Amino acid sequence: MPDASPKEQFENREFQTEVKKLLDIVINSLYTDREIFLRELISNSADALEKLRYESVVNKEVTGPDVLPLEISIELDDKEHTITVADTGIGMTRDELVENLGTIAHSGSKKFIQQLNDSDKKDFNLIGQFGVGFYSAFMVAKKIRVLTQSYLPGEPGCEWVSEGAGSYDVRTAEGLQRGTKIVLELKEDAYEFSEAARVKEIIRQYSSFVPFPIKVDRDQVNTIQAIWTRNKSEVTEEEYKEFYKFIANAFDEPLYHLHFTADAPLAINALLFVPENNFERYGFGRMEPGTNLYSRRVLIQPNSETILPEWLRFVRGVVDSEDIPLNISRETAQDSALIAKLQKVITGRFLKFLDKESQDDPEKYAQFWNTFGMFIKEGAMADFAYRKELAKLLRFESSAAEPGKLVSLADYTGRMKEEQMDIYFINGPSREAIEAGPYVEAFRAGGYEVIYTYEPIDDFVLSNLGEYEGKKLVSADSTGLELPGPGDKPGEEPLDSDNTTSLTAWLKEILGDKVSEVNSSSRLVDSPAIILNLNPMMTSSMQRVMQAANRDFGALGQKALEINTRHKLIKRLNELREEDPEFARVVAEQVFDNALISAGLVVNPRAMVERINQILEKTL
Ligand code: ADP
């Protein structure tokens, strides 16, 4: 590419604040992996070339590869200590240049910068995932020049120069060839990056899957291969790993990969990866989808939002289908019936794959579940179409498994008692809290398994599913569960039915609107009373979520109080009703509050302390 001949004076512009912060860290830190700058520049060039290839297919006006070959050429000068990375991609207009290399658009980047700032060991390996890869070049360069010519007809070429300290210069430049050329003037301690052997080694390590020729001083270093179109048996584990690192811009190793080919109903070559880490879980903000849609090896949609459902945004990979017309526009791909069909096939295959993996290697699947389970739950809540497949993938702790061990709904139904109709689950903050509470008493006594769920979303997921293999999913805090009563304990006689009727009526009167019903319960063993849900769509855990958001939410869920008429406290309360109605009232309110607390619901602490003091005074 001929150099620019200046036509006008440079305009000096400030970097956006975030960029300044980032550059400050990049320039003033010590790092171990600074050679990754080359991976970032090559990856930007490859993106620009992919876009050009696409444009030349859909837009005949654009000069195609037949006229100007699509490639990345790297030139080294070990006397001047420069490395130049040039591509024949789409290039940038002046506005794009200012926007792309002066500001940061990506939402997760601010967190990334903050984290870099806070940690002693600067890990720049992640830089490409946060949309700021270009700036990593300042790890090795004291000065960077960018010369770029947009593929759009009539746009002037542009030159950009910066030393990374606060500002950069831009001006238009004439005589450039389409694409972008980036010249790095290396820092003294980075001269190794102008040596051919070193640079070739880096390219082999990080960029061997770039689908365009990469030439170092005119010598092509990579062999181009679309490994997803190759036969499964010919691809090695090592190649899969390397390819994953390349397309996901990642440095971890994939947890799973699924490579498959289909001919009907659509011709598909797909290679999908599950990463090892879930950055969304670490609070880096929402993950962007990472599956690229190709048609006959031409990239149609990078990081496609439509090829997989949103809840599979953690998947990285390639889907190539020759049934997709090359000229399908990025916008119409959004609502094309063909893409919807493709999505369905691939999602189905992927979920089936996970199910099989979960059976073949449950331990590895547990690792997957602990890292990505949140996405499966999101799918089970959001996506009716796949709820059957997703239900198979859910895992929870349960009363029948050791702490830390996970069970599936299939495990559960496989060992259900013959007379048992429903699948029971209960939500609580922890296993200890659930097992100490009143809700599992009857199930324990009757030998029924209960699934333990620890996150509020779990109840939404299970209520949404409604059933599994014809068995209803029922929260253990619902009323009307048909459990054979555990109450045949000898020696503990329940209140007779007259007393029970008048006691429950009396309680309802005292508690008023706070409960919809008061009944006697056959499900309690050691607890005097329990709060149950009349509305199965509003379990206590859901109500806890609402309460956390809004303190006044207390009265909304329809609650029933059930009492254990075998319990000493309840029997004594029944007597107290006659002996000391005023005090009995105080005790009744406390019994109710205790039941609310066991359900994890909020009570009024001041009223409760006052009441307890009254009770203590009486008993001391
Ligand atoms: P990312 O590539 O992750 O978006 P970068 O900081 O590396 O973040 O680059 C910012 C943007 O600059 C890119 O998204 C792209 O639009 C533009 N860009 C960078 N390098 C090139 C290039 N070689 N050709 C065309 N555009 C480029």
Side-chain angles (χ1 to χ4, degrees), residues 44-45 48 87 91-92 100-101 128 131-134 180:
N44 284 346
S45 286
D87 63 66
M92 288 177 267
N100 293 338
L101 305 187
V132 287
F134 169 77
T180 302

Side-chain angles (χ1 to χ4, degrees), residues 147-434:
L147 298 158
T148 185
Q149 172 67 54
S150 168
Y151 77 104
L152 294 168
E155 286 288 339
C158 250
E159 180 180 6
W160 180 105
V161 183
S162 178
E163 296 183 3
S167 70
Y168 58 92
D169 293 324
V170 267
R171 66 177 169 193
T172 48
E174 281 176 350
L176 299 177
Q177 163 186 293
R178 181 196 71 214
T180 302
K181 175 166 165 174
I182 297 179
V183 187
L184 310 187
E185 256 177 59
L186 295 168
K187 292 181 184 174
E188 220 165 289
D189 62 359
Y191 285 173
E192 60 185 295
F193 301 112
S194 58
E195 291 161 17
R198 177 82 175 104
V199 167
K200 286 179 182 173
E201 171 197 284
I202 300 170
I203 293 170
R204 281 192 207 101
Q205 184 182 354
Y206 291 105
S207 307
S208 44
F209 288 99
V210 170
F212 299 95
I214 305 175
K215 295 179 175 167
V216 175
D217 293 335
R218 278 174 217 89
D219 181 13
Q220 182 164 337
V221 201
N222 63 331
T223 45
I224 294 150
Q225 41 184 351
I227 79 166
W228 62 91
T229 60
R230 277 165 54 192
N231 197 320
K232 232 159 74 166
S233 58
E234 288 160 14
V235 184
T236 66
E237 281 303 308
E238 207 44 46
E239 283 177 303
Y240 282 127
K241 278 187 201 164
E242 292 307 315
F243 182 68
Y244 162 74
K245 289 184 188 177
F246 164 66
I247 53 147
N249 223 329
F251 69 102
D252 59 352
E253 301 213 329
L255 187 62
Y256 291 127
H257 74 257
L258 166 63
H259 187 179
F260 77 90
T261 307
D263 298 320
L266 293 166
I268 301 169
N269 281 304
L271 178 51
L272 303 176
F273 296 94
V274 174
E276 196 173 15
N277 296 306
N278 170 4
F279 291 106
E280 201 162 304
R281 202 168 53 148
Y282 301 134
F284 279 120
R286 206 173 166 77
M287 261 175 147
E288 306 284 338
T291 303
N292 301 331
L293 177 61
Y294 286 77
S295 172
R296 296 161 218 253
R297 303 185 196 186
V298 175
L299 183 61
I300 304 286
Q301 273 188 333
N303 304 323
S304 166
E305 295 190 352
T306 42
I307 195 61
L308 287 174
E310 212 190 335
W311 44 271
L312 286 180
R313 60 186 175 278
F314 64 95
V315 173
R316 300 283 174 262
V318 170
V319 172
D320 194 331
S321 173
E322 57 188 63
D323 289 323
I324 305 261
L326 276 174
N327 61 358
I328 191 167
S329 84
R330 285 163 208 227
E331 292 73 44
T332 53
Q334 200 77 21
D335 38 42
S336 130
L338 193 60
I339 301 274
K341 201 159 146 198
L342 198 56
Q343 189 204 81
K344 204 164 159 227
V345 174
I346 293 161
T347 306
R349 277 297 277 263
F350 183 70
L351 296 180
K352 210 163 126 196
F353 163 79
L354 286 179
D355 184 38
K356 181 155 188 321
E357 286 291 327
S358 76
Q359 287 165 34
D360 293 351
D361 188 348
E363 251 165 62
K364 187 171 173 189
Y365 184 75
Q367 187 191 343
F368 166 80
W369 177 255
N370 291 328
T371 314
F372 296 102
M374 57 192 265
F375 294 101
I376 302 297
K377 291 178 190 176
E378 187 183 321
M381 273 185 34
D383 216 326
F384 201 69
Y386 301 104
R387 76 188 186 293
K388 280 214 173 87
E389 290 81 356
L390 287 163
K392 289 189 192 163
L393 300 175
L394 298 173
R395 294 292 181 277
F396 300 101
E397 286 203 26
S398 107
S399 59
E402 288 163 43
K405 283 263 173 293
L406 298 173
V407 306
S408 65
L409 293 175
D411 295 334
Y412 185 106
T413 50
R415 56 185 172 231
M416 264 168 85
K417 293 184 140 200
E418 215 170 292
E419 76 279 7
Q420 188 182 342
M421 305 295 290
D422 302 331
I423 301 172
Y424 302 114
F425 65 92
I426 185 72
N427 185 277
S430 68
R431 189 178 186 103
E432 291 71 31
I434 290 173

Side-chain angles (χ1 to χ4, degrees), residues 72-134:
I72 299 168
S73 39
I74 295 176
E75 279 177 18
L76 305 172
D77 185 334
D78 58 4
K79 301 228 166 41
E80 295 295 321
H81 308 295
T82 61
I83 170 170
T84 301
V85 179
D87 63 66
T88 49
I90 55 166
M92 288 177 267
T93 64
R94 186 179 178 130
D95 286 347
E96 285 166 349
L97 188 57
V98 166
E99 176 74 25
N100 293 338
L101 305 187
T103 65
I104 298 176
H106 194 282
S107 59
S109 342
K110 284 187 190 162
K111 275 230 164 102
F112 172 68
I113 295 169
Q114 190 59 43
Q115 178 174 301
L116 271 183
N117 213 359
D118 294 346
S119 64
D120 300 335
K121 225 178 108 249
K122 311 288 181 204
D123 189 352
F124 286 95
N125 233 322
L126 284 175
I127 202 161
Q129 297 190 0
F130 292 97
V132 287
F134 169 77

